[in-house]
Amino acid sequence: MMSQMPQLSACPSCEEPLESGDRFCGACGYDLSVVPARPDDQPTITLNGSVPAPSTDGTDWPVAHQPAGSDTAAAAHLPTDLRGTDSGGSPLPPEQPTGSPVSPASGVRFDRPPEPDEYPLQAPDPRVAELAAPAEEAKLCVACRAGRVDSDGYCENCGHAQPRERDHMEQESGPVAAVSDRGLRHHRNEDAFGIGTATLPDGSPASVAIVCDGVSSATRPDDASLAAARAANESLLAALPRGTHPQQAMHDAIVAASHAVNALAAEPATAREHTPHQNAPACTIVGAVVTTGLLIVGWVGDSRAYWVPVDRTSPPARLTEDDSWAAQMVAAGLMNEAEAYADERAHAITGWLGADAYELEPHTASFKPDRPGVVVVCTDGLWNYAEAAEDMAEVVPLDAAVRPLHSARVLVGHALDGGGHDNVTVAVVPFPAVLPGAGSA
């Protein structure tokens, strides 16, 4: 009996169309009887979700559930639907309960600790978090007020370098206020200040102001002034409520500031920045403590404190004496004040805070004003443009006692209008001291 020929529609050799019953190709003569019969193949699962043909390998594959409707996909098989076998074809042993001991034969633990209901989230990648963080509000240029400021601190529109954090600082603490500015010539602000209020043991108020000027020829002058201002301010605000006399508290505060500046000389940062032409970190200091009836000032160097009464018919006064070459010339009678301060050596200081200082000699003085006024505590960046007490009183606003922050801004502006050759820092402290919240603007 002749075997049934496979039904082909085209020649396997030349793809010539065939007719039913052809044994040879009419175009190329290919023997169609040598074409193997089509294998009896069945797909595992059809695209329309029909049931697959039974397996011939003896494995009892589970049957997928029929879809509930035409728009529901057929269920999928999971690997756990079948029992596994080992490499020899034998069924695996039943799963051991959680917490079972180690198998002594294999030395491998099959048990795992119970899994928590919740897993701790992995710390986010900082790079991804940085990208996902909401964008901060764009900073506008202080010069053109139109361009955005880039990450390097320059305006994308006009290229103007933006002020750094210490380039201009303002602070108000109750009735005390201070302003510090880099000025127009220096590349950074080497001044610093500290202000605050305290309550004395008898319940009366006290106001505190500290101003420091970094010595530019020294290493890290900006760090020196900041360390001194913080240390002195903290010392005063801690001592006054304990009942320490304000004049003693001022002396101790200057000593604390000196220690803070001296400590900078031992820091690695000082060694990295030190050059043969520089000394250890150094600064000047001046401070004021105002109570309801007492005014205390303390200083080392050439930063100053001025008294300006509210009633301008009363005379103002300078409350400090400079530790400077010019002051020494005047004190020795070798020059008058005009001649001494006109000399190029006038601002060479003879006293400062720092490890290179010859000897620490804190100056303190106590006053009992008989009328209200303000104490102006400042660096030479201001008093260079209002040196005499009368000159200072002329530029202090008449309402300084009730608007100290505004007055401090006006005084800094006066120095900038005069040329701003140095950093400018000024604190305005009303006398007598008032309770926090009064006299501010």
Side-chain angles (χ1 to χ4, degrees), residues 279-428:
N279 300 312
C283 69
T284 68
I285 185 170
V286 62
V289 175
V290 170
T291 69
T292 53
L294 199 62
L295 164 59
I296 304 294
V297 294
W299 73 97
V300 174
D302 63 349
S303 293
R304 295 179 177 179
Y306 291 84
W307 164 253
V308 179
V310 171
D311 179 5
R312 298 303 168 87
T313 62
S314 300
R318 198 176 96 197
L319 306 178
T320 58
E321 293 290 339
D322 298 343
D323 289 320
S324 68
W325 179 90
Q328 283 191 344
M329 295 298 103
V330 173
L334 300 176
M335 291 182 178
N336 62 39
E337 192 164 307
E339 293 172 338
Y341 282 98
D343 193 285
E344 61 180 8
R345 295 165 291 181
H347 288 277
I349 57 175
T350 58
W352 62 88
L353 304 183
D356 291 340
Y358 300 115
E359 185 178 356
L360 177 63
E361 295 183 5
H363 311 295
T364 62
S366 177
F367 304 91
K368 290 185 177 181
D370 61 354
R371 65 202 65 200
V374 294
V375 183
V376 177
V377 185
C378 64
T379 61
D380 61 347
L382 171 60
W383 66 252
N384 277 333
Y385 301 99
E387 187 173 331
E390 293 76 16
D391 297 334
M392 185 64 71
E394 214 173 291
V395 296
V396 172
L398 295 175
D399 59 354
V402 294
R403 300 181 66 195
L405 180 57
H406 167 75
S407 300
R409 291 169 175 163
V410 169
L411 292 171
V412 169
H414 174 75
L416 298 180
D417 290 342
H421 287 74
D422 200 355
N423 306 144
V424 189
T425 301
V426 56
V428 177

